[in-house]
Amino acid sequence: KQEVTQIPAALSVPEGENLVLNCSFTDSAIYNLQWFRQDPGKGLTSLLLIQSSQREQTSGRLNASLDKSSGRSTLYIAASQPGDSATYLCAVNTGFQKLVFGTGTRLLVSP
Amino acid sequence: NAGVMQNPRHLVRRRGQEARLRCSPMKGHSHVYWYRQLPEEGLKFMVYLQKENIIDESGMPKERFSAEFPKEGPSILRIQQVVRGDSAAYFCASSPEGTASYEQYFGPGTRLTVT
């Protein structure tokens, strides 16, 4: 059974810092991995999708990497801003179209 | 191109009533997924539907819950005789095809409160 863990559960940083969020999964047989952002009381915004054949994806200040063999993904946020404050979720697709989600990292970026 | 739409955004029901949650997928998407987020928990898969077919309902509670995606109209998640433990955010997602390489796009969710 696929399990997804995210650490840390919460993170508080001053504006301008570069930071790394971690996601690990127990079964390396995945098709892809998605990183999402969730604002309080809101839906999920897809940030990056990494296919299993890819090592990383970049979008603006965000960079996500994937190491399937070790069951890990990281989301790197450069030059953090207060607007980045949200909960970040990773989810793996095991090929049966069920996304398995981690419990998220709550990020607070203070001005 | 409008995104995934869900309504209502907030729904309050008394114990024992029925709750109907609607999801309109993105234009051109024929695959719909429902997820539930219980308070202080992660999102959990409930059901995967294609037009007029349930593909995978392995995450659905065995009783009181049902889902459909008719040929015309939105997908409906129906909860009969709601209980307090059904209070949660219910999210719908859609994709253009059912292959795993496609990204799932999420709606804003319906927040169900059972009093």
Side-chain angles (χ1 to χ4, degrees):
Chain A
K1 180 188 167 189
Q2 179 73 267
E3 292 183 1
V4 180
T5 304
Q6 290 187 247
I7 53 171
L11 183 61
S12 183
V13 300
E15 182 176 6
E17 274 205 8
N18 302 323
L19 52 100
V20 174
L21 308 181
N22 297 291
C23 172
S24 60
F25 44 96
T26 54
D27 187 342
S28 62
I30 67 169
Y31 273 67
N32 58 47
L33 182 147
Q34 278 185 257
W35 281 94
F36 295 90
R37 168 188 174 136
Q38 185 175 28
D39 293 282
K42 300 285 175 61
L44 279 69
T45 302
S46 181
L47 299 173
L48 290 162
L49 170 72
I50 313 179
Q51 302 292 355
S52 61
S53 57
Q54 297 174 321
R55 298 283 292 183
E56 65 179 308
Q57 280 284 351
T58 298
S59 175
R61 295 183 293 109
L62 305 179
N63 175 278
S65 66
L66 174 63
D67 183 343
K68 245 181 55 167
S69 59
S70 67
R72 292 184 183 183
S73 176
T74 61
L75 178 67
Y76 175 81
I77 303 177
S80 58
Q81 303 170 356
D84 294 331
S85 298
T87 296
Y88 290 80
L89 301 167
C90 74
V92 299
N93 189 329
T94 56
F96 300 104
Q97 288 302 61
K98 300 178 213 184
L99 291 183
V100 179
F101 281 84
T103 48
T105 294
R106 277 195 309 276
L107 173 65
L108 177 63
V109 181
S110 51
Chain B
N1 188 8
V4 177
M5 298 172 65
Q6 291 187 249
N7 66 80
R9 295 289 304 276
H10 300 273
L11 182 61
V12 180
R13 284 287 178 266
R14 292 199 189 98
R15 278 179 297 170
Q17 291 184 318
E18 179 180 286
R20 282 189 179 234
L21 288 62
R22 293 175 188 77
C23 169
S24 296
M26 285 181 71
K27 188 175 180 181
H29 288 194
S30 59
H31 297 255
V32 163
Y33 317 85
W34 287 92
Y35 294 83
R36 177 166 68 171
Q37 187 173 36
L38 291 165
E40 303 303 320
E41 292 190 22
L43 278 87
K44 297 280 196 286
F45 168 84
M46 299 182 76
V47 63
Y48 163 30
L49 309 109
Q50 200 179 343
K51 285 281 187 184
E52 299 186 281
N53 283 308
I54 296 175
I55 307 300
D56 181 350
E57 57 181 347
S58 59
M60 288 275 271
K62 294 285 186 281
E63 297 175 349
R64 301 186 297 108
F65 285 71
S66 62
E68 63 176 8
F69 189 16
K71 188 176 179 181
E72 301 291 338
S75 175
I76 306 284
L77 179 67
R78 183 181 176 209
I79 311 171
Q80 295 179 290
Q81 299 176 310
V82 296
V83 301
R84 288 224 171 104
D86 297 331
S87 294
Y90 292 82
F91 292 95
C92 167
S94 71
S95 66
E97 297 287 343
T99 59
S101 58
Y102 284 93
E103 192 170 350
Q104 292 186 20
Y105 295 85
F106 280 74
T110 292
R111 277 148 187 86
L112 173 66
T113 301
V114 179
T115 61

